Amino acid sequence: MAWLIFLLALTASLIALLMAPRLLAPRRLTRAKEVRFEAGNPPYGKARRRMVMQYLGYVYLAMATESIVGASIALYLIDAKVLWAALVAVAAAAATAYVAARGHD
Amino acid sequence: MSGLAAALLYPGITAIFAYLLVAIWLERKLAAKVQWRYGPLYVSRWLGGLLQGLADALKLIFSELVVPSYTNKALFTALPLVVFLADALPVMFIPGAPDLVIYRSHYGLAYVLVILLLATPAIVAMAWVEADKFTYIGALREILMEAAYEVPLALSLFAMIILYGPDPVQAVEAQSIPGILANPLAFFAFFVSAAMATSRFPFEIPDADTEIVFGPYTEYGSTLLLASFGANYVALYSFSLLGALLFLGGWAPFGGLLGAAVMLAKAMLLTIVWLILRAIYPRLRIDQALRLGWGSLLAISAASVAVSVVWRLWLG
């Protein structure tokens, strides 16, 4: 039950943290406070813009490699006898990612 | 009884909040020492300014909590708490001493790895909901940083799981020599990956305050800033305990209360090294961090797995 007490105590602490300023702090909302921060300027344009393609390869590489490494770790945890198969998969994934990342520069 | 002490005292709630106070103070004090300044001093001068963090927290509690009108108010308020929770959850599986563990699991190290990697999506969701130009750039940088460190971090922990098994308590008992000596490559990969995961210098890229205001935390004030930005230090606490457990021998050579103190001292030693990086390194560019993560760090972490296999073969 210690885990439940930990989770409840942590959640209660965070909710108390959230409620404290509502009870103790002043509330004087103005229009300027409610708009998004633009380093002192009035907001203009969209906040979310197009992402540059430059680094997308790394994200794709991470997604592909992580799934192989994660699956290998999970397989090893389920059955330690598959260590060699897991190692081959990890080595192949790491080597491919290393070479692919060099080509990405 | 020991489970209750673990949940409420150490390594649980009390230790998490105490660590927040001490780590932020230490970071400011260490950087000040290097730069020939005093650092925090005026609040509790007799403690070297230790309570400055508490004074800052009080100031934030008494400052107005503003929720921008254009955001989803429920998500805007809830996500900083989710980020804090996600960064604190690994502590559940990491023992502070032989019997001081909140939830003992045979697969504890695997759970810790998964939870540590899940904190980033929560930060990205938070930055997305804030819908600000700076938080958007911060979210992108956060995603790219995770792309750089997640595979090396997973491989370095895999190397230690091969050596000591996935049970965190047994990991200490299995260390006849500390993990840092048995597999220094895994320690190096873990150390750098953890620095990337917790935005330590030179990887303080997602919340680079001189470039993008405060990255994913820009729109937050009051206690929501405390929860969201404080979560970074809670993650550092999780990484410190994990590092002390796997690489510095945990509570060994003692047990009981003395063992708990030894484990905490080792975790603080690791923390100090991560914190002092702020005073040593300039910030890298995102492309440099990515190249490091997918270059030498990936090679070192893959080699660390090979080192563990050689140990296993040698020890039978």
Side-chain angles (χ1 to χ4, degrees):
Chain A
M1 288 303 276
W3 64 272
L4 189 61
I5 293 168
F6 174 74
L7 286 180
L8 287 175
L10 191 60
T11 311
S13 313
L14 292 174
I15 290 173
L17 206 59
L18 182 66
M19 295 310 292
R22 292 187 190 275
L23 300 172
L24 301 169
R27 298 194 73 182
R28 280 188 287 275
L29 280 179
T30 62
R31 177 77 192 128
K33 285 182 192 172
E34 284 193 318
V35 296
R36 72 167 185 251
F37 181 70
E38 293 261 13
N41 300 305
Y44 75 96
K46 288 181 180 174
R48 296 165 185 152
R49 296 179 182 186
R50 285 182 185 173
M51 179 185 166
V52 285
M53 280 291 287
Q54 195 180 352
Y55 303 124
L56 199 61
Y58 286 114
V59 178
Y60 188 66
L61 203 56
M63 209 167 67
T65 315
E66 178 68 16
S67 60
I68 296 170
V69 171
S72 304
I73 296 174
L75 274 175
Y76 173 71
L77 290 175
I78 293 165
D79 182 6
K81 280 181 257 173
V82 301
L83 176 62
W84 289 108
L87 286 175
V88 170
V90 164
T96 310
Y98 187 86
V99 173
R102 297 279 75 72
H104 190 63
D105 287 344
Chain B
M1 194 61 191
S2 64
L4 197 67
L8 297 178
L9 298 174
Y10 168 75
I13 305 290
T14 311
I16 287 175
F17 285 104
Y19 181 90
L20 260 177
L21 184 72
V22 174
I24 293 171
W25 170 77
L26 256 179
E27 183 168 35
R28 297 176 66 182
K29 213 67 183 171
L30 286 169
K33 278 277 176 213
V34 173
Q35 294 158 2
W36 290 11
R37 297 183 286 111
Y38 287 113
L41 189 67
Y42 292 103
V43 179
S44 66
R45 186 182 278 263
W46 51 286
L47 283 173
L50 176 66
L51 299 183
Q52 179 66 50
L54 204 60
D56 292 342
L58 277 174
K59 190 203 80 179
L60 285 172
I61 285 172
F62 282 95
S63 68
E64 186 174 4
L65 203 160
V66 177
V67 180
S69 56
Y70 59 90
T71 53
N72 180 320
K73 290 185 168 51
L75 285 176
F76 183 89
T77 315
L79 280 167
L81 310 186
V82 173
V83 173
F84 194 99
L85 207 63
D87 280 325
L89 276 186
V91 174
M92 250 173 59
F93 301 96
I94 305 172
D99 296 318
L100 272 179
V101 59
I102 299 169
Y103 184 82
R104 176 146 193 199
S105 165
H106 178 67
Y107 299 110
L109 289 177
Y111 290 138
V112 168
L113 173 64
V114 171
I115 299 168
L116 284 173
L117 292 178
L118 280 179
T120 301
I123 297 175
V124 172
M126 185 180 82
W128 184 262
V129 167
E130 285 172 82
D132 177 290
K133 285 168 186 161
F134 301 109
T135 66
Y136 184 59
I137 299 168
L140 270 178
R141 291 185 178 194
E142 195 75 47
I143 293 169
L144 293 171
M145 281 307 291
E146 181 163 14
Y149 75 76
E150 69 176 353
V151 174
L153 178 67
L155 287 178
S156 66
L157 288 185
F158 185 38
M160 300 322 278
I161 288 173
I162 290 172
L163 263 186
Y164 303 134
D167 186 340
V169 176
Q170 280 177 2
V172 174
E173 291 157 9
Q175 285 181 58
S176 47
I177 53 169
I180 189 172
L181 298 176
N183 197 337
L185 294 180
F187 174 74
F188 182 78
F190 170 81
F191 184 85
V192 178
S193 307
M196 285 179 164
T198 54
S199 289
R200 299 291 99 210
F201 270 83
F203 309 108
E204 194 236 23
I205 297 167
D207 46 301
D209 56 354
T210 49
E211 296 171 17
I212 48 171
V213 188
F214 216 13
Y217 316 98
T218 301
E219 285 293 336
Y220 284 112
S222 191
T223 49
L224 288 179
L225 175 66
L226 202 63
S228 57
F229 192 62
N232 235 325
Y233 291 89
V234 177
L236 192 65
Y237 176 62
S238 302
F239 274 108
S240 305
L241 284 179
L242 187 62
L245 184 95
L246 289 177
F247 297 102
L248 303 181
W251 48 83
F254 304 103
L257 274 180
L258 192 57
V262 166
M263 169 102 175
L264 192 60
K266 288 174 179 175
M268 287 313 293
L269 185 71
L270 265 178
T271 300
I272 287 172
V273 184
W274 271 314
L275 292 178
I276 208 165
L277 292 176
R278 172 173 288 273
I280 298 171
Y281 285 105
R283 186 183 304 115
L284 290 179
R285 291 194 316 266
I286 190 73
D287 62 308
Q288 291 171 320
L290 279 163
R291 205 166 294 133
L292 179 77
W294 287 102
S296 44
L297 195 60
L298 177 68
I300 288 169
S301 60
S304 77
V305 176
V307 170
S308 286
V309 173
V310 170
W311 269 108
R312 274 283 298 270
L313 288 174
W314 193 42
L315 296 171

